[in-house]
Amino acid sequence: MKTRYALPFYLGGAVAARAGDEMSGPALMLAGFALAGSTTDASSLLAGLTVAAAVGGPVLGALLDRARRPGRLLAGALVLYAAGLTTVLVGLGDWPFPVTVLVAVATGLLAPALSGGWTAQLPRVVGRARLPRANALDAMTFSAASLAGPALAGGVAGALGATTAVAVSVALVVVALPTAWALPAAGVVPAAEGVSSAGGLPGVGGLPSAGGPPSARVLPRARALPPAGALSVAPSRIGAAARSVSGDLAAGLRTIVGRPTLARATVTSVVSCAAQGMLMVCAAPLGERVLGGAERSAMLLTCVAVSALAADAVLARFPRAVAPDTVVWAAALVQAAGLGLVAVAVVAGQGLTLIVAALVLGIGEGPQLAALFAVRHRESPERLRGQIFTTGASLKITGFALGAAAAGPVASRSLTAASAAAAGVALLAALAPWSMRMAARVRP
């Protein structure tokens, strides 16, 4: 069976879900400050929402890989994410604050569904032939969401209140539900791929050619129907399913570690995210010291997002110009140069230099994400694709959080030192593939 699921439909849903996700963090932080009255409480909510992703991502990915209709599982995750945000909003100011934070942590378990879980379905939408350009367009949705989400959060909170901003972020996630629900089933070939000359399926992102007549276009899955009238599942089957999921988790981690190009791209992206987290902590002080006001830090982040979006647009125009493995480490080097310019701007007190630094950072961030997706699509076995994408997303979120936590104390003492440290971390990200290659060569 072929699917005619349209790429614009996929991209529209991805933008809505990811904009809602990008908006939810700042909006929830503003609502926490408004209703709980404490900056510490507000940051605790944001930390609770993000820290749980490291645990939720791999499990969610394993379940997506095992689902016959992964889009419906993805839609369920979006519903629960939206419901969790709503519950946090309802509990703020009325429930004990630790209970509200626990709800935020539970909600954060589902956050990888909006990033890696969604992108893992792309090969079923477009197939192998159109995947490079579609992959670059998919990366653009992240840049567009990172541009629109915080801006919407600040604008709606300023005009209608912080609680309304959270409600709008929930609405954006809900808008994406029909797109997620209609995603193609596992083993379905996009209509544009057709049938290979041998009469079988063309390989789609690691899916081998099936062979056989055109009528056999869906790869069969061995699924036994339960006997009529069965109302329960035997405990032994539940245990076997749990062991199977845990086995898939182990297989996914072995794949990430065992495939050198995937391992190198993963390490580089995680360390790059740590540098980006360090910059995020420095954003408000940078706005205050260099741009004339802490509120102008949004201009800095906007420049990064606009530049990333433009760079992704160029990459979508020429998706095969440079190998994605090269783009991953070269983009980290560009980010290191941008963060070095940030340190120069702090020392010189030059706002123009800081804006240029933000534009350079975006040129590195956008293509790196698109290239990382390309490496994952190429290296991921079909049955582990969702898990590898969501695990990768979880690792990146963890890297971002660790970078932000490490930079906080440094930035409070020396903004120049924090900016220089972020540049050093980005440089380590660029050098990571080379050091991993050297280690592999000297290993017995």
Side-chain angles (χ1 to χ4, degrees):
M1 182 173 63
K2 293 188 290 187
T3 176
R4 297 187 182 276
Y5 189 100
L7 179 60
F9 187 47
Y10 167 94
L11 294 174
V15 167
R18 288 162 180 167
D21 185 34
E22 290 284 347
M23 184 180 180
S24 64
L28 199 60
M29 196 166 177
L30 291 171
F33 182 74
L35 298 177
S38 168
T39 304
T40 302
D41 288 351
S43 61
S44 298
L45 278 177
L46 183 59
L49 191 65
T50 55
V51 74
V55 177
V59 176
L60 179 61
L63 294 175
L64 284 170
D65 287 330
R66 298 175 64 81
R68 180 69 182 87
R69 295 299 302 250
R72 297 184 179 178
L73 179 59
L74 192 60
L78 296 183
V79 168
L80 292 175
Y81 188 79
L85 290 176
T86 304
T87 304
V88 171
L89 185 60
V90 169
L92 273 174
D94 293 329
W95 298 353
F97 187 73
V99 175
T100 310
V101 171
L102 285 176
V103 175
V105 170
T107 304
L109 291 170
L110 302 164
L114 285 76
S115 52
W118 200 291
T119 299
Q121 313 308 315
L122 187 58
R124 298 191 181 106
V125 176
V126 298
R128 177 179 290 175
R130 297 167 57 203
L131 186 58
R133 181 172 180 272
N135 182 63
L137 293 173
D138 184 45
M140 288 177 66
T141 66
F142 283 90
S143 299
S146 65
L147 176 63
L152 277 173
V156 174
L160 302 173
T163 56
T164 305
V166 177
V168 172
S169 71
V170 170
L172 285 171
V173 173
V174 171
V175 164
L177 285 176
T179 307
W181 183 268
L183 280 165
V188 176
V189 176
E193 290 292 284
V195 184
S196 69
S197 58
L201 295 176
V204 179
L207 187 64
S209 177
S215 59
R217 293 184 185 174
V218 179
L219 297 182
R221 288 193 169 208
R223 285 177 179 256
L225 293 175
L231 299 179
S232 62
V233 179
S236 60
R237 293 188 179 182
I238 296 175
R243 287 193 298 273
S244 182
V245 170
S246 64
D248 284 352
L249 288 171
L253 290 174
R254 283 197 301 269
T255 300
I256 293 174
V257 174
R259 299 198 173 190
T261 54
L262 181 58
R264 289 194 292 266
T266 300
V267 170
T268 300
S269 67
V270 171
V271 180
S272 294
C273 269
Q276 293 162 19
M278 297 172 79
L279 175 68
M280 183 63 69
V281 170
C282 297
L286 282 169
E288 184 175 25
R289 181 179 299 186
V290 182
L291 299 177
E295 69 280 357
R296 295 184 181 178
S297 61
M299 183 194 309
L300 182 66
L301 301 178
T302 298
C303 288
V304 174
V306 168
S307 179
L309 193 60
D312 280 334
V314 174
L315 192 64
R317 187 76 174 86
F318 307 100
R320 293 182 174 88
V322 185
D325 309 85
T326 302
V327 173
V328 170
W329 69 260
L333 198 59
V334 173
Q335 292 176 59
L339 289 166
L341 277 177
V342 171
V344 171
V346 174
V347 173
Q350 295 176 345
L352 180 60
T353 303
L354 186 59
I355 296 301
V356 171
L359 295 174
V360 173
L361 275 168
I363 292 173
E365 285 187 17
Q368 186 184 58
L369 184 62
L372 175 65
F373 288 168
V375 173
R376 287 180 185 164
H377 282 305
R378 186 190 68 205
E379 299 293 331
S380 301
E382 175 68 15
R383 70 182 186 88
L384 298 173
R385 185 184 305 278
Q387 185 192 155
I388 287 172
F389 268 86
T390 54
T391 299
S394 298
L395 291 172
K396 289 183 66 178
I397 293 171
T398 303
F400 187 93
L402 291 175
V410 180
S412 64
R413 296 181 180 181
S414 172
L415 195 55
T416 305
S419 304
V425 171
L427 184 59
L428 287 176
L431 297 176
W434 304 98
S435 61
M436 292 173 72
R437 283 195 186 99
M438 293 299 295
R441 288 175 183 173
V442 302
R443 185 179 303 152

